[in-house]
Amino acid sequence: MAELTAFSFQPGTSLLHKLDVRFKLLFLILISLVSLGGGFTGLGVLTGLVTGLSIHSRLPLKSGFREFRFFLIFLVLILVARMLTTPGAALIEIKSIAISRSGLMSGVLICWRLVIIAFLGFLFVFTTPSSEIKAAVQWFLKPATFIPGKRIATMMGLIARFVPVILNQVKETTEAQRARCVENRRNPFYRIVRLGLPLIRRTFEQADRLIVAMEARCYSENRTDPVLATTRTDWIALVMIIIICGWIVSIQVR
């Protein structure tokens, strides 16, 4: 289970660990929205911010990059698709295949934005207990009386806890395939199918076991949640994030 610390909560004394979870959720939404429309300058600022917070929070970047390897393949596919389908002046042309400069720039921007959003979620999960995530979601949904806030909050908390379980299943399935020399197959679709089907089956089996265990212990959404309290640091961080996001938006408007 030591391999799963990258995507599970770890106690710490960093600034992100001490911030109120409601503010962290708000920061996650604000920065994600701004990064979706940010250019190179804005994304550079956000990258510096995320990098600094990652170092300060002692995020396990090595194991994190290892878990992100499938996401990196997805980013490469997006980059290649944008380079080949976006019209513009050809940067590289090989027979009937042309890579446009505008497609390259567009693909880099899209991949950069997705990486920032992914690392923001990474930081949020690493510095926030699932019980606090549940309490924060419940707090935000409390004014909407027509929405079952406690049930949705419980589901969100379970999702945060279940991510490491899924990653553990990926690791075990990959090791089992490696022991059977499946990686020697040249057909990538064969390897994906052989990884995906057992992974889906074992994930649903784990979910069924979790449901049975919760029912056996009479688990319900009506539980004592942690007390959420704000401090001066939370409000200072909110002002700074608003200033940074507002500056990035102003650059894009120009």
Side-chain angles (χ1 to χ4, degrees), residues 174-193:
T174 303
E175 290 179 351
Q177 290 184 343
R178 188 177 295 113
R180 293 164 176 81
C181 300
V182 175
E183 71 274 8
N184 293 332
R185 291 271 187 167
R186 295 184 178 181
N187 189 348
F189 295 101
Y190 178 87
R191 296 198 301 268
I192 292 174
V193 171

Side-chain angles (χ1 to χ4, degrees), residues 50-122:
V50 173
T51 303
L53 291 175
S54 300
I55 296 173
H56 178 63
S57 303
R58 296 187 178 182
L59 196 68
L61 296 177
K62 183 178 180 180
S63 57
F65 280 118
R66 185 165 57 248
E67 301 293 351
F68 267 120
R69 62 186 182 276
F70 297 109
F71 181 66
L72 294 177
I73 296 174
F74 173 68
L75 294 179
V76 171
L77 293 176
I78 292 177
L79 179 61
V80 172
R82 295 295 297 183
M83 288 191 301
L84 297 178
T85 59
T86 304
L91 185 64
I92 300 175
E93 190 170 359
I94 303 175
K95 295 183 179 180
S96 60
I97 300 177
I99 298 177
S100 64
R101 180 181 180 85
S102 57
L104 176 62
M105 301 293 286
S106 175
V108 169
L109 276 176
I110 293 174
C111 294
W112 197 352
R113 292 164 182 167
L114 292 176
V115 168
I116 290 176
I117 295 174
F119 265 90
L120 285 173
F122 191 4

Side-chain angles (χ1 to χ4, degrees), residues 34-52:
V34 170
S35 63
L36 288 176
F40 285 99
T41 304
L43 294 179
V45 174
L46 292 179
T47 301
L49 176 63
V50 173
T51 303

Side-chain angles (χ1 to χ4, degrees), residues 100-248:
S100 64
R101 180 181 180 85
S102 57
L104 176 62
M105 301 293 286
S106 175
V108 169
L109 276 176
I110 293 174
C111 294
W112 197 352
R113 292 164 182 167
L114 292 176
V115 168
I116 290 176
I117 295 174
F119 265 90
L120 285 173
F122 191 4
L123 275 170
F124 179 74
V125 172
F126 183 76
T127 59
T128 311
S130 57
S131 58
E132 291 189 4
I133 296 176
K134 173 182 177 293
V137 173
Q138 185 175 326
W139 185 86
F140 279 114
L141 294 179
K142 190 174 182 180
T145 55
F146 57 91
I147 298 178
K150 290 185 178 181
R151 186 172 304 173
I152 294 176
T154 302
M155 293 171 60
M156 295 293 292
L158 290 175
I159 290 173
R161 287 193 177 187
F162 214 70
V163 170
V165 176
I166 296 175
L167 294 177
N168 187 39
Q169 295 297 333
V170 173
K171 179 176 177 293
E172 291 180 358
T173 306
T174 303
E175 290 179 351
Q177 290 184 343
R178 188 177 295 113
R180 293 164 176 81
C181 300
V182 175
E183 71 274 8
N184 293 332
R185 291 271 187 167
R186 295 184 178 181
N187 189 348
F189 295 101
Y190 178 87
R191 296 198 301 268
I192 292 174
V193 171
R194 290 300 178 183
L195 173 65
L197 294 180
L199 176 62
I200 293 173
R201 179 178 62 82
R202 297 185 68 180
T203 301
F204 278 108
E205 288 177 354
Q206 287 284 352
D208 288 337
R209 295 192 191 100
L210 177 62
I211 293 171
V212 172
M214 292 172 64
E215 290 178 348
R217 291 164 176 78
C218 300
Y219 187 92
S220 69
E221 63 257 16
N222 297 316
R223 302 180 66 85
T224 303
D225 297 317
V227 178
L228 303 178
T230 60
T231 62
R232 182 183 299 177
T233 305
D234 297 317
W235 293 103
I236 294 175
L238 176 61
V239 172
M240 293 180 63
I241 292 298
I242 290 177
I243 292 174
I244 294 173
C245 292
W247 178 73
I248 294 174

